[in-house]
Amino acid sequence: MKKTSTRLADGRELVYYDLRDDTVRDAVDRRPLERTVTTSEVRRDPLLGDSVAIASHRQGRTYHPPADECPLCPSQGERLSEIPDSSYDVVVFENRFPSLAGDSGRCEVVCFTSDHNASFADLSDEQARLVLDAWTDRTAELSHLPSVEQVFCFENRGAEIGVTLGHPHGQIYAYPFTTPRTALMLRSLAAHKDATGGENLFDAVLDEEMAGERVVLEGEHWVAFVPYAAHWPYEVHLYPKRRVPDLLGLDEAARTEFPKVYLELLRRFDRIFGEGEPPTPYIAAWHQAPFGQLEDFEGVTRDDFALHLELFTIRRTSGKLKFLAGSESGMNVFINDVPPERAAERLREVASS
């Protein structure tokens, strides 16, 4: 992998990640952009103890542009985009309309391929490995920023999820705090460790799932399963078999196997609802240990956390979506219409040939 860092016309950082070491990236952003001004502010809810990012400037962000005006495609001639070069393998840049900025963190966009009509599932093993390497590099870089406590790499796919740009891409949020969902995991981890005299909860869950009926696919270094208490109609958790706290902890064997396992999982997601159905909308979310202090979680260290990816869709059956209504949105109590065992069975049925 070759990494080349540059700056866009308004001062934002852009990084090319290339498969070939001899690739030259010297294109200049020719757009007459003024320096980006953001109004991001993080406010803490005193009753719930969580945080909300207030970012009014995002109201003006690009919304469903036609394909020939996509800002994530390479620049061609006088059609100038966020990527100055005429081609790329993987590129990462600071979001022009960030939810978090400055002392409130940082937001980046990750373009998986220059092919506007592709999806992550269309990538080759080599391309998917390059994305993994880019995620890992950005996690390392962002973890050193003084305002960053946790790094979250994710992909939103599909208009039903709320995606406003059709180009295959994901995002990275670098939070100035430990997110509420991670805090819940850490509290459960601490309680279980205390109650069992030191047993790791992630290890216990993984051992139980691997011995059960909800495993979807398994490699030498990775295993994917539908969790016992899945929140979403089709939800899969992907774990490395060797527990590591973050993407930086993966060894070469796990990195090499990841593309094959993950691409197969994504391709099965597109087959869940049968032939002729539109691509399955999904969210793919990497869970990594925070880089900040864990003093609020007594007895827990970063090494106790288990890196994993959670992949889920809001489509519950053909032509129908799972909406977060009263119980889910009002009380955070999910109601799942698809038994996890049946979801796992279906995902095994649609294995690609």
Side-chain angles (χ1 to χ4, degrees):
M1 177 188 78
K2 181 180 180 182
K3 175 183 175 182
T4 306
S5 180
T6 185
R7 291 281 172 180
L8 296 174
D10 55 8
R12 288 176 293 134
E13 184 179 19
L14 180 143
V15 184
Y16 294 99
Y17 293 90
D18 287 295
L19 292 168
R20 292 175 56 95
D21 290 337
D22 60 353
T23 303
V24 176
R25 298 295 184 187
D26 56 7
V28 176
D29 185 3
R30 294 182 285 126
R31 296 173 299 170
L33 297 180
E34 296 182 359
R35 186 165 292 273
T36 301
V37 177
T38 62
T39 57
S40 296
E41 175 189 358
V42 174
R43 298 184 181 180
R44 186 167 179 80
D45 186 317
L47 294 180
L48 298 179
D50 59 9
S51 298
V52 177
I54 309 297
S56 60
H57 63 277
R58 285 175 53 79
Q59 288 281 31
R61 66 189 186 273
T62 308
Y63 187 79
H64 293 298
D68 61 357
E69 296 178 16
C70 174
L72 306 185
C73 288
S75 293
Q76 298 290 338
E78 294 306 309
R79 200 195 77 76
L80 307 178
S81 73
E82 289 280 68
I83 296 91
D85 216 327
S86 59
S87 66
Y88 63 84
D89 291 335
V90 173
V91 70
V92 178
F93 60 88
E94 289 184 76
N95 198 322
R96 191 177 179 186
F97 304 97
S99 303
L100 307 166
D103 292 339
S104 297
R106 175 158 156 155
C107 293
E108 297 183 339
V109 176
V110 184
C111 298
F112 304 138
T113 171
S114 60
D115 184 352
H116 181 85
N117 297 313
S119 68
F120 200 116
D122 295 324
L123 300 182
S124 67
D125 286 6
E126 186 180 36
Q127 289 173 305
R129 169 61 191 266
L130 184 61
V131 175
L132 175 64
D133 290 343
W135 282 330
T136 304
D137 182 73
R138 297 317 301 160
T139 296
E141 291 288 334
L142 294 171
S143 70
H144 295 307
L145 296 180
S147 63
V148 172
E149 189 166 314
Q150 185 173 0
V151 178
F152 175 46
C153 307
F154 65 101
E155 180 191 2
N156 297 329
R157 194 266 195 120
E160 300 95 327
I161 296 293
V163 175
T164 57
L165 297 175
H167 196 102
H169 73 288
Q171 299 182 66
I172 302 176
Y173 277 21
Y175 298 101
F177 51 80
T178 296
T179 62
R181 188 172 177 84
T182 303
L184 285 173
M185 294 182 193
L186 291 169
R187 282 196 285 272
S188 297
L189 190 61
H192 185 84
K193 191 173 185 178
D194 181 64
T196 60
E199 182 181 69
N200 185 280
L201 179 58
F202 283 111
D203 292 350
V205 168
L206 189 58
D207 288 344
E208 184 174 348
E209 292 289 2
M210 288 180 65
E213 60 180 316
R214 290 180 297 275
V215 172
V216 174
L217 61 90
E218 183 176 355
E220 183 178 354
H221 304 284
W222 294 86
V223 61
F225 58 87
V226 177
Y228 170 74
H231 289 58
W232 300 94
Y234 291 91
E235 174 182 341
V236 177
H237 293 189
L238 177 63
Y239 276 73
K241 292 183 179 179
R242 182 178 69 88
R243 172 165 45 91
V244 295
D246 52 39
L247 290 165
L248 283 71
L250 293 174
D251 60 23
E252 182 57 30
R255 293 180 184 280
T256 298
E257 186 182 73
F258 171 78
K260 180 179 179 180
V261 175
Y262 187 49
L263 291 173
E264 170 65 15
L265 195 56
L266 292 180
R267 290 161 187 165
R268 292 190 191 190
F269 253 58
D270 274 342
R271 294 184 176 90
I272 293 173
F273 304 104
E275 296 295 329
E277 287 290 322
T280 301
Y282 65 72
I283 292 175
W286 280 108
H287 291 263
Q288 306 191 80
F291 288 95
Q293 298 298 315
L294 300 182
E295 63 268 12
D296 292 338
F297 312 99
E298 188 174 352
V300 171
T301 69
R302 288 194 81 250
D303 288 338
D304 291 321
F305 195 86
L307 167 77
H308 62 284
L309 182 141
E310 298 184 7
L311 174 69
F312 59 90
T313 180
I314 61 171
R315 186 179 292 164
R316 57 188 175 87
T317 189
S318 179
K320 297 179 181 178
L321 301 180
K322 163 67 178 176
F323 291 101
L324 300 189
S327 186
E328 290 90 353
S329 295
M331 284 295 168
N332 201 29
V333 177
F334 276 66
I335 301 169
N336 189 352
D337 300 331
V338 181
E341 293 73 23
R342 174 54 190 147
E345 181 182 20
R346 178 59 181 160
L347 284 162
R348 290 193 296 268
E349 290 173 351
V350 295
S352 62
S353 57

